[in-house]
């Protein structure tokens, strides 16, 4: 009788506390060679703490770690790397001022005794690693790349390490479906060669499409581990939140949509041409497209955050002059950035200060000085409407979970009583429970008369949340989808390069 080999990685009874807060109390996880094993749980469930222990960033208070059946002590990330562990963090940590190639081979450079590194050889090697992922010039400074491109560089960096265990923490949060599929192909190839992959994601479709097993954590404890073929996404979601979630998406608009709130005609800039669309009262309008297609650039062009867009913008039928973002705020047209930590929030400031940031006049007292009582009242009022979970409005935003940080970013926009909101990746990096809450908030805003436009790389979100979706391809609107035509296949058909010439395959989708 053949004895089964021990797991590639096994963690048992891991406990970790931060002061009085117990982050882990029964951390258990097993990874086999050649498998892709999903780790699911709401923000705060203990997933990141457990992974940081595997990577040597944190030390457990108690419990054991085995690799190939042998006990190990992982006291630093360098030790983890020496044991064959690679970690792609959700938070991007590239050096902005050096090249993509230098970032990819940073670990090698740090270990080398050569006085000079780089040159044509490093560029060529980086290009080879990047080729399966994306067409990114390895000579460019990392800081010049978009968020999605930076995420792909982080993944490429991990692939250069000689690792047997690869941890991927929300790797597709910044990627479109097309780019994500490339990554999934690479993951399957690595697993076929014997690598064990830990895949952390809130996206059920990705877990059930690509993973062999899934482990669910809640409140710092192991809840269940199953083969994905033996359970359903609903089973995973309910185990994550400890309660039944009946619907991730609220009911869509029924009946006729209302009058136009916003009308954009022939918007043109360097990254997009002749973009025209209208946003109606009561609906949620979606924008889909591949990375680099121009989705975010169009929204930032309308709100004057990027470029010098030409074209006409009408609000409730009247032409408006928008010279900069301050003009947009004054008119009630606002934008939620896809990079909430880089552009959307002041992480070290209080929740109340963040919510008030766009218009300080609303919380000013005599002489224009900020009135702390008004600032706190505003934050509590809007925070309550969004079900913001925070012990105090005086706490810094950095202390909140991802979902609650996103609610603060949204509250900051609502504080100026907007007429139109563009939301770029509104649920990126938030757990399934917070995602359902945010979807409900957006539908409530649309019902109340606010114009809601959502840019998302997650096709299930576009299909489940939006009443209409405009598909952007190569800087132009390639088509519009709604009703029964709003499917992943139709979105991808229109989003693909060359979609404008072939869009007649979808009758009635051209604008």
């Amino acid at each position: 009788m053949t004895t089964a080999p021990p797991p590639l990685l096994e963690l048992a009874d891991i406990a970790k506390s931060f002061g009085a807060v117990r982050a882990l109390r029964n951390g258990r996880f097993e990874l086999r060679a050649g498998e892709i094993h999903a780790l699911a749980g709401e923000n705060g469930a203990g997933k990141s703490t457990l992974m940081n222990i595997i990577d040597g960033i944190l030390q457990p208070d108690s419990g054991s770690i085995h690799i190939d059946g042998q006990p190990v002590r992982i006291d630093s990330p360098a030790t983890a790397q020496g044991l064959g562990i690679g970690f792609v963090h959700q938070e991007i940590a590239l050096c902005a001022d050096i090249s993509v190639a230098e970032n990819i081979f940073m670990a090698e450079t740090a270990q080398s005794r050569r006085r000079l590194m780089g040159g044509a050889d490093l560029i060529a090697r980086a290009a080879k690693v990047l080729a399966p992922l994306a067409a990114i010039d390895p000579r460019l400074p990392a800081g010049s790349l978009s968020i999605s491109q930076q995420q792909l560089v982080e993944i490429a960096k991990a692939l250069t390490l000689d690792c047997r265990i690869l941890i991927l923490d929300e790797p597709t949060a910044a990627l479109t479906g097309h780019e994500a599929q490339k990554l999934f192909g690479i993951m399957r190839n690595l697993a076929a060669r014997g690598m064990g992959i830990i895949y952390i994601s809130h996206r059920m479709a990705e877990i059930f499409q690509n993973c062999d097993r899934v482990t669910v954590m809640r409140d710092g404890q192991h809840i269940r581990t199953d083969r994905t073929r033996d359970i359903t996404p609903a089973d995973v979601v309910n185990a994550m939140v400890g309660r039944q979630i009946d619907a991730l998406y609220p009911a869509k608009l029924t009946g006729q949509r209302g009058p136009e709130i916003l009308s954009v005609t022939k918007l043109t800039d360097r990254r997009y041409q002749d973009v025209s669309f209208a946003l109606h009262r009561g609906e949620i309008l979606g924008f889909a497209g591949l990375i680099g297609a121009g989705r975010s650039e169009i929204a930032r062009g309308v709100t004057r955050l990027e470029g010098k867009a030409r074209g006409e913008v009408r609000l409730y039928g009247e032409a408006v002059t928008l010279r900069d973002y301050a003009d947009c705020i004054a008119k009630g047209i606002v934008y939620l950035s896809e990079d909430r930590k880089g552009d959307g929030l002041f992480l070290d400031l209080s929740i109340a200060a963040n919510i008030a940031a766009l218009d300080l006049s609303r919380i000013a007292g005599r002489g224009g000085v900020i009135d702390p009582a008004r600032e706190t009242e505003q934050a509590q009022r809007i925070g309550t409407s969004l079900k913001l979970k925070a012990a105090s409005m005086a706490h810094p935003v950095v202390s909140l979970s991802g979902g609650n940080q996103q609610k603060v970013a949204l509250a900051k926009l609502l504080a100026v009583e907007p007429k139109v909101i563009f939301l770029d990746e509104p649920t990126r990096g938030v757990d399934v429970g917070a995602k359902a809450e945010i979807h409900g908030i957006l539908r409530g805003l649309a019902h109340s008369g606010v114009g809601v436009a959502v840019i998302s790389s997650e096709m299930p979100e576009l299909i489940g949340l939006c009443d209409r979706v405009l598909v952007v391809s190569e800087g132009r609107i390639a088509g519009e989808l709604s009703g029964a035509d709003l499917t992943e296949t139709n979105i991808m058909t229109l989003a693909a390069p060359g979609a404008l010439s072939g869009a007649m395959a979808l009758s009635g989708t051209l604008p």
Side-chain angles (χ1 to χ4, degrees):
M1 182 176 178
T2 304
T3 303
L8 176 58
L9 172 70
E10 186 175 18
L11 292 89
D13 301 321
I14 300 293
K16 180 66 179 178
S17 294
F18 299 94
V21 178
R22 295 191 67 184
L24 289 172
R25 63 190 71 198
N26 177 26
R28 292 195 285 118
F29 190 82
E30 177 192 276
L31 179 69
R32 300 167 185 164
E35 81 165 337
I36 303 174
H37 192 144
L39 181 59
E42 291 193 282
N43 290 334
K47 306 186 305 295
S48 294
T49 302
L50 193 66
M51 294 303 102
N52 284 334
I53 286 171
I54 295 173
D55 198 45
I57 298 170
L58 297 173
Q59 300 301 306
D61 298 332
S62 60
S64 62
I65 304 174
H66 289 74
I67 293 180
D68 292 326
Q70 300 299 313
V72 296
R73 182 173 183 270
I74 309 175
D75 55 11
S76 70
T79 300
Q81 187 175 328
L83 290 168
I85 299 169
F87 194 169
V88 179
H89 294 265
Q90 182 180 353
E91 302 299 333
I92 295 169
L94 300 176
C95 291
D97 297 327
I98 64 175
S99 72
V100 168
E102 290 168 315
N103 270 282
I104 289 174
F105 293 104
M106 189 176 295
E108 176 183 318
T109 303
Q111 294 172 3
S112 174
R113 297 192 177 188
R114 292 168 56 187
R115 298 185 66 181
L116 295 174
M117 295 287 289
D121 177 61
L122 198 73
I123 298 295
R125 289 168 60 204
K128 185 176 180 179
V129 176
L130 286 165
L133 290 167
I136 298 173
D137 187 341
R139 297 168 295 185
L140 291 174
S144 69
L145 304 181
S146 67
I147 294 294
S148 57
Q149 290 173 321
Q150 289 182 33
Q151 182 67 69
L152 291 169
V153 172
E154 286 279 20
I155 293 167
K157 185 167 67 173
L159 295 179
T160 66
L161 303 175
D162 185 22
C163 57
R164 301 171 59 214
I165 298 166
L166 179 61
I167 305 169
L168 297 171
D169 189 357
E170 293 283 355
T172 63
L175 306 183
T176 63
H178 177 71
E179 300 295 338
Q181 290 302 322
K182 287 186 177 182
L183 173 61
F184 298 149
I186 292 171
M187 287 165 51
R188 287 189 285 268
N189 288 337
L190 292 172
R193 286 155 43 188
M195 182 183 289
I197 299 174
I198 303 173
Y199 189 79
I200 303 172
S201 179
H202 297 305
R203 299 179 176 182
M204 292 298 110
E206 293 181 358
I207 289 174
F208 281 82
Q209 176 189 355
N210 299 287
C211 300
D212 303 294
R213 290 193 293 163
V214 56
T215 287
V216 178
M217 294 184 67
R218 186 175 73 242
D219 298 329
Q221 300 185 75
H222 173 274
I223 300 300
R224 63 186 295 176
T225 297
D226 302 90
R227 294 183 300 181
T228 51
R229 68 188 183 189
D230 294 335
I231 58 172
T232 68
D235 294 329
V236 174
V237 170
N238 293 333
M240 286 168 57
V241 301
R243 63 187 186 277
Q244 193 81 22
I245 289 187
D246 297 324
L248 289 176
Y249 304 104
K252 292 192 179 186
L253 177 68
T254 56
Q256 294 294 318
R257 63 193 182 191
E260 287 185 1
I261 298 175
L262 181 76
S263 174
V264 175
T265 305
K266 293 188 178 300
L267 191 75
T268 299
D269 198 8
R270 181 173 57 88
R271 300 284 297 276
Y272 47 86
Q273 302 83 38
D274 294 328
V275 171
S276 299
F277 64 90
L279 174 57
H280 292 255
R281 181 183 175 92
E283 73 172 345
I284 297 179
L285 178 66
F287 285 81
L290 303 180
I291 291 174
R295 304 167 306 164
S296 298
E297 289 79 5
I298 289 168
R300 291 197 291 265
V302 173
T303 53
R304 300 307 191 254
L305 285 165
E306 179 177 293
K308 296 181 179 179
R310 305 182 304 278
E312 183 180 67
V313 177
R314 288 181 172 269
L315 192 62
Y316 298 117
E318 294 186 6
V320 291
T321 300
L322 304 172
R323 295 161 297 182
D324 52 29
Y325 190 47
D327 282 347
C328 291
I329 294 172
K331 296 292 185 182
I333 305 173
V334 294
Y335 171 79
L336 180 71
S337 172
E338 64 177 327
D339 182 9
R340 67 170 176 266
K341 294 190 175 181
D343 298 329
L345 295 168
F346 303 101
L347 294 175
D348 294 328
L349 294 184
S350 70
I351 297 167
N354 270 272
I355 292 174
L358 283 186
D359 187 356
L360 297 178
S361 68
R362 293 172 181 264
I363 47 97
R366 291 183 179 180
V369 178
I370 292 174
D371 183 335
R374 289 187 184 182
E375 183 182 63
T376 300
E377 184 280 328
Q378 176 181 258
Q380 289 175 336
R381 173 170 44 83
I382 301 174
T384 299
S385 71
L386 300 181
K387 298 181 180 178
L388 175 65
K389 296 175 183 176
S392 168
M393 294 297 121
H395 284 183
V397 171
V398 72
S399 67
L400 301 178
S401 68
N404 283 300
Q405 286 184 7
Q406 193 72 338
K407 288 181 181 180
V408 173
L410 182 56
K412 184 174 75 171
L413 304 184
L414 297 183
V416 302
E417 299 178 7
K419 299 177 177 68
V420 175
I421 298 182
F422 287 90
L423 302 114
D424 203 344
E425 306 290 356
T427 61
R428 171 175 292 165
V430 306
D431 60 57
V432 66
K435 184 175 291 191
E437 287 185 349
I438 290 171
H439 291 154
I441 290 166
L442 299 186
R443 180 55 67 183
L445 288 171
H447 281 324
S448 72
V450 177
V452 179
V454 171
I455 303 155
S456 179
S457 300
E458 193 172 343
M459 282 195 283
E461 179 169 66
L462 289 169
I463 294 167
L465 178 66
C466 300
D467 302 290
R468 287 189 298 138
V469 171
L470 303 178
V471 184
V472 183
S473 179
E474 299 175 305
R476 295 178 182 270
I477 303 295
E480 175 187 312
L481 298 168
S482 62
D485 293 329
L486 184 49
T487 66
E488 292 195 18
T489 299
N490 287 349
I491 290 174
M492 288 308 300
T493 299
L494 288 170
L500 284 165
S501 61
M504 293 304 292
L506 298 172
S507 88
T509 59
L510 280 175

